[in-house]
Amino acid sequence: MSLDNCCTSPGTLAMASFTMQKWCGLYDWDTALKEGTIFKELNLPIFFADKGSSNLNTNSPVSDTAQQEREKLMSKISAVSFAINDLTLYLDTHPDCPDGTPLFYQLSKERMDLLAEYADKYNPLTQLSMVTANLNDNNFAWADGPMPWEGGCV
Amino acid sequence: MWAYEKRLQFPVKIKKTCPKTAQLIISQYGGPDGELSASMRYLAQRYTMPVKKVGGLLTDIGTEEINHMEIICAMVYQLTRDLTPEDAKTAGFDAYYIDHTKALWPQAAAGIPFTSIEFQSKGDPFADLFEDLAAEQKARTVYDNLLRVIEDPDVRTPLKFLRAREIVHFQRFSEALEMTKNQLGQNNFYYFNAEFDRNHYKPEEHC
């Protein structure tokens, strides 16, 4: 299906017409997670949005460097994974995009490595990362680590 | 199938107990325009969609809505985790406490239990895509309303993220509508129902 053909005539009665998004400027992945989209053009906040927000990583005291390292790696995983989420929805409706497709592969590879690193240093977040991190196959580590909804230790 | 990943799509770290806030945002768990309703709507509609790529989009957005449900649940949980018997008397949360203590249960802010009556899976691509477009706008309005009345930055930050996602999903569903129109390509979009009238439309011919 050619995307160029997707915008049907805006003059059609009894049917809505929308604009297909074109590839546009992207945020860096940390900003994208904070804003809720990788696409600058799709970031449309309400006028009172900035009344207050918290830093995404305000959890641990500055003195706890081990915990800070752990949170830093988790933040990287969150940011890269979210970029893939948002990019996937874009590619669902723009499968032939020459910019988005290579980026999808690049980010997915990065994510796989980050998940393996996290499984190796702390605990696995996915079952596949138990294998890519070469964990001890006598230890079922899937239950290790905090549950995601606890908030404190991620 | 789905595979669990042991992290939230967006981090939730709420320090301050607030049953009143929990009582409000629980609507995005089990309310009429909540995340559970959203995921069930899209994941129900996808099977009969005439355009395969639109079925794929419904799967991916429906999956993301499950992530959002988990974020909302984590927020309700953290807002009530350290609830004292005195906190439990908070107006608005007291009735919930009697029935569910501190457990999670899908309901609207006004106490109405989660129900599939709140969404539709109609079996017509245009009816369903317009339902989806409207759903994203309604959920965005709920997040606007929550952001107007909630001040705790730890709560506002994930709510702003979730609001932004509604707008992105709206754009994607609008593109899905364009793809559907393009594939069914004709002047009268209502001449047949592509999900039912097989004499007029065979999905297998468009794989």
Side-chain angles (χ1 to χ4, degrees), chain A residues 11-116:
Chain A
T12 308
L13 290 180
M15 180 48 72
S17 288
F18 289 97
T19 306
M20 296 295 289
Q21 186 189 342
K22 291 202 169 62
W23 188 255
C24 65
L26 304 183
Y27 288 116
D28 68 83
W29 311 139
D30 287 331
T31 307
L33 180 65
K34 186 173 162 286
E35 299 297 339
T37 179
I38 60 173
F39 300 105
K40 291 180 181 173
E41 289 178 358
L42 275 181
N43 185 16
L44 304 166
I46 197 162
F47 68 92
F48 51 75
D50 288 329
K51 213 169 71 180
S53 36
S54 64
N55 188 320
L56 299 184
N57 306 306
T58 49
N59 210 43
S60 61
V62 184
S63 56
D64 192 346
T65 47
Q67 179 63 17
Q68 277 189 328
E69 283 300 307
R70 183 184 180 135
E71 287 177 9
K72 214 171 129 192
L73 183 54
M74 179 57 105
S75 300
K76 248 193 211 170
I77 292 172
S78 298
V80 168
S81 302
F82 172 67
I84 295 170
N85 290 156
D86 204 19
L87 183 58
T88 300
L89 301 188
Y90 177 85
L91 291 172
D92 281 344
T93 55
H94 303 72
D96 304 322
C97 177
D99 300 294
T101 311
L103 183 59
F104 174 85
Y105 283 97
Q106 179 206 316
L107 287 172
S108 296
K109 173 77 175 65
E110 215 173 296
R111 176 177 133 84
M112 193 177 72
D113 293 342
L114 289 168
L115 286 169

Side-chain angles (χ1 to χ4, degrees), chain B residues 6 18 20 68 75 86 91-92 124 154 164-165 171 189:
Chain B
K6 287 173 75 173
C18 185
K20 184 68 197 169
H68 296 173
M75 292 172 81
E86 199 51 41
D124 174 282
D154 291 350
R165 298 310 292 153
Q171 174 63 27
F189 292 112

Side-chain angles (χ1 to χ4, degrees), chain A residues 1-2 5-8 12 14-21 33-37 39 42 44-54 56-59 71 74 77-78 81-82 85-86 88-90 92-95 111 115 123-127 142-151 154, chain B residues 4-13 15 51 53 56-58 60-61 64 67 70 73-74 77-78 81 126 130 133 140 143-145 147-158 160-161 163-165 167-183 187 189-190:
Chain A
M1 182 188 309
S2 164
N5 299 334
C6 270
C7 287
T8 46
T12 308
M15 180 48 72
S17 288
F18 289 97
T19 306
M20 296 295 289
Q21 186 189 342
L33 180 65
K34 186 173 162 286
E35 299 297 339
T37 179
F39 300 105
L42 275 181
L44 304 166
I46 197 162
F47 68 92
F48 51 75
D50 288 329
K51 213 169 71 180
S53 36
S54 64
L56 299 184
N57 306 306
T58 49
N59 210 43
E71 287 177 9
M74 179 57 105
I77 292 172
S78 298
S81 302
F82 172 67
N85 290 156
D86 204 19
T88 300
L89 301 188
Y90 177 85
D92 281 344
T93 55
H94 303 72
R111 176 177 133 84
L115 286 169
N123 56 271
L125 302 174
T126 68
Q127 293 199 342
W142 181 233
D144 294 355
M147 293 314 261
W149 51 85
E150 296 294 349
V154 291
Chain B
Y4 191 62
E5 186 160 327
K6 287 173 75 173
R7 63 178 186 87
L8 300 179
Q9 189 191 27
F10 190 93
V12 175
K13 297 172 185 177
K15 296 177 275 296
V51 179
K53 287 192 173 75
L57 180 72
L58 285 164
D60 290 338
I61 297 184
E64 187 178 341
N67 301 338
E70 188 184 33
C73 288
Y77 167 71
Q78 291 180 23
R81 177 166 43 187
F126 294 116
F130 279 100
L133 287 160
R140 197 248 324 143
Y143 286 118
D144 286 350
N145 293 346
L147 285 164
R148 269 198 192 87
V149 300
I150 293 169
E151 287 179 358
D152 182 351
D154 291 350
V155 181
R156 290 178 65 82
T157 303
K160 284 196 298 192
F161 169 84
R163 176 189 180 276
R165 298 310 292 153
I167 293 170
V168 173
H169 292 172
F170 182 84
Q171 174 63 27
R172 296 295 163 250
F173 282 129
S174 75
E175 290 165 347
L177 181 72
E178 290 301 321
M179 292 162 84
T180 302
K181 284 159 63 182
N182 189 55
Q183 183 152 317
N187 292 327
F189 292 112
Y190 309 113

Side-chain angles (χ1 to χ4, degrees), chain B residues 45-90:
Chain B
Q45 290 177 0
R46 65 191 172 134
Y47 298 91
T48 52
M49 270 292 161
V51 179
K52 191 181 155 207
K53 287 192 173 75
V54 173
L57 180 72
L58 285 164
T59 304
D60 290 338
I61 297 184
T63 300
E64 187 178 341
E65 306 294 10
I66 298 176
N67 301 338
H68 296 173
M69 182 187 80
E70 188 184 33
I71 292 169
I72 292 290
C73 288
M75 292 172 81
V76 172
Y77 167 71
Q78 291 180 23
L79 284 163
T80 56
R81 177 166 43 187
D82 300 319
L83 196 79
T84 63
E86 199 51 41
D87 291 333
K89 294 179 192 164
T90 305

Side-chain angles (χ1 to χ4, degrees), chain B residues 77-166:
Chain B
Y77 167 71
Q78 291 180 23
L79 284 163
T80 56
R81 177 166 43 187
D82 300 319
L83 196 79
T84 63
E86 199 51 41
D87 291 333
K89 294 179 192 164
T90 305
F93 193 77
D94 48 357
Y96 183 90
Y97 160 78
I98 296 301
D99 285 333
H100 310 291
T101 325
K102 294 196 294 184
L104 269 288
W105 189 72
Q107 67 162 47
I112 302 151
F114 170 74
T115 165
S116 56
I117 291 169
E118 307 288 10
F119 67 85
Q120 184 55 287
S121 182
K122 199 72 191 173
D124 174 282
F126 294 116
D128 279 341
L129 284 170
F130 279 100
E131 152 107 6
D132 302 342
L133 287 160
E136 297 295 335
Q137 293 293 351
K138 289 185 282 183
R140 197 248 324 143
T141 307
V142 176
Y143 286 118
D144 286 350
N145 293 346
L146 288 169
L147 285 164
R148 269 198 192 87
V149 300
I150 293 169
E151 287 179 358
D152 182 351
D154 291 350
V155 181
R156 290 178 65 82
T157 303
L159 289 178
K160 284 196 298 192
F161 169 84
L162 292 166
R163 176 189 180 276
R165 298 310 292 153
E166 309 298 342

